[in-house]
Amino acid sequence: RQRRSIVVNLWPHIIVGVGYPIAALINGGIMVGDQDRHEMVLHFPMVAYFAVYWVAFTTPLLGFLSRYPRCLREPVVIPSLISFLFLAFLSAMSLYCCFYVHPFVLADNRHFVFYVYRKILLRSSWSKYVMVPFIAISSSCLLGDLQIGIFRIVQDLFPVVDVAEVPALPRCRTAVRMFFLFTLILVLVPSGLVEPRYFITPFIFGLLLSLESADQAELYVRSAVAVSVIISGALFYIFLEMPFDRVVDAHMPNDLSPGRFMI
């Protein structure tokens, strides 16, 4: 009876879980469209980019100073310092070993990501490492919001371990958040193309796990709407009022319209 109840409650997920590999098998891969240009790669910096995206769009609600890595506010807190240094090391290694530039990113100067790569990440052979402190801070905030940490996990798995000022979570809750982190890596890392829209779905699921109350959720929705209106207004202004001269596309020789910036 219990198994039947589980199947009844999870049948939509079961259909997706079974249908996805079948669709991938029929399609000849998980990529849709130009498969030669959308190959699977090992692109771990995508998780780092998501962490920065997370901090940028959750700061209106959760603030930043209150989530600032504790080791930078109180260097004597050893567990926090170890965690932060470990995140910084992982950030640097991901940029060193798995930094990837998709040809589409550098082929279209209308997108903002093009300028992030050209002006920051690819400015010199070492410029991308300037991002390591920001990535480490963002990753620390992300894990803190999800209440995931090395010492927290140890305490949850081994309750006899006494870790000061690290409240334990129910095991099922911690497992769900760890599974979210696992699926986040599984979804983002194979993608070589950096597109902000790839972050939207994991961002929403992350919010569902990090918001603790209905009042907090309502406050965030109001803050998110206000921030979205401001950002959208700025983007529309840039798109409409700041065109630039561009080279005529070879496949559209009759299109002489100016270039316009977009996400």
Side-chain angles (χ1 to χ4, degrees), residues 60-131:
L61 168 66
L62 303 176
F64 180 71
L65 294 180
S66 61
R67 297 188 293 158
Y68 199 64
R70 190 180 178 189
C71 65
L72 301 183
R73 291 181 281 120
E74 304 174 32
V76 295
V77 182
I78 301 302
S80 180
L81 178 61
I82 294 175
S83 298
F84 178 78
L85 293 177
F86 181 66
L87 290 172
F89 172 76
L90 288 182
S91 302
M93 289 304 297
S94 68
L95 290 172
Y96 176 76
C97 300
C98 303
F99 184 71
Y100 180 79
V101 182
H102 196 282
F104 284 0
V105 170
L106 300 181
D108 194 340
N109 64 347
R110 297 173 300 172
H111 297 278
F112 294 119
V113 176
F114 169 89
Y115 296 96
V116 172
Y117 270 86
R118 289 293 298 270
K119 302 296 185 180
I120 301 176
L121 299 178
L122 297 178
R123 189 177 185 88
S124 67
S125 60
W126 54 266
S127 60
K128 58 179 176 287
Y129 298 109
V130 175
M131 297 295 297

Side-chain angles (χ1 to χ4, degrees), residues 83-210:
S83 298
F84 178 78
L85 293 177
F86 181 66
L87 290 172
F89 172 76
L90 288 182
S91 302
M93 289 304 297
S94 68
L95 290 172
Y96 176 76
C97 300
C98 303
F99 184 71
Y100 180 79
V101 182
H102 196 282
F104 284 0
V105 170
L106 300 181
D108 194 340
N109 64 347
R110 297 173 300 172
H111 297 278
F112 294 119
V113 176
F114 169 89
Y115 296 96
V116 172
Y117 270 86
R118 289 293 298 270
K119 302 296 185 180
I120 301 176
L121 299 178
L122 297 178
R123 189 177 185 88
S124 67
S125 60
W126 54 266
S127 60
K128 58 179 176 287
Y129 298 109
V130 175
M131 297 295 297
V132 168
F134 301 100
I135 293 172
I137 292 173
S138 300
S139 300
S140 180
C141 291
L142 172 61
L143 296 179
D145 295 338
L146 295 174
Q147 300 184 40
I148 296 175
I150 298 173
F151 291 89
R152 187 184 299 278
I153 294 170
V154 170
Q155 187 194 38
D156 183 64
L157 296 178
F158 306 99
V160 296
V161 177
D162 182 17
V163 181
E165 301 182 14
V166 183
L169 292 172
R171 292 193 178 189
C172 61
R173 194 175 181 185
T174 301
V176 170
R177 296 178 187 220
M178 289 297 296
F179 185 72
F180 165 75
L181 193 61
F182 169 73
T183 55
L184 174 71
I185 295 172
L186 194 63
V187 168
L188 294 182
V189 168
S191 175
L193 182 61
V194 179
E195 287 275 7
R197 57 192 170 94
Y198 295 167
F199 301 146
I200 295 175
T201 299
F203 179 83
I204 293 174
F205 278 100
L207 278 180
L208 293 175
L209 293 174
S210 62

Side-chain angles (χ1 to χ4, degrees), residues 11-31:
W11 69 265
H13 305 285
I14 295 175
I15 291 177
V16 173
V18 174
Y20 184 81
I22 294 176
L25 183 63
I26 296 174
N27 185 56
I30 65 173
M31 304 301 179

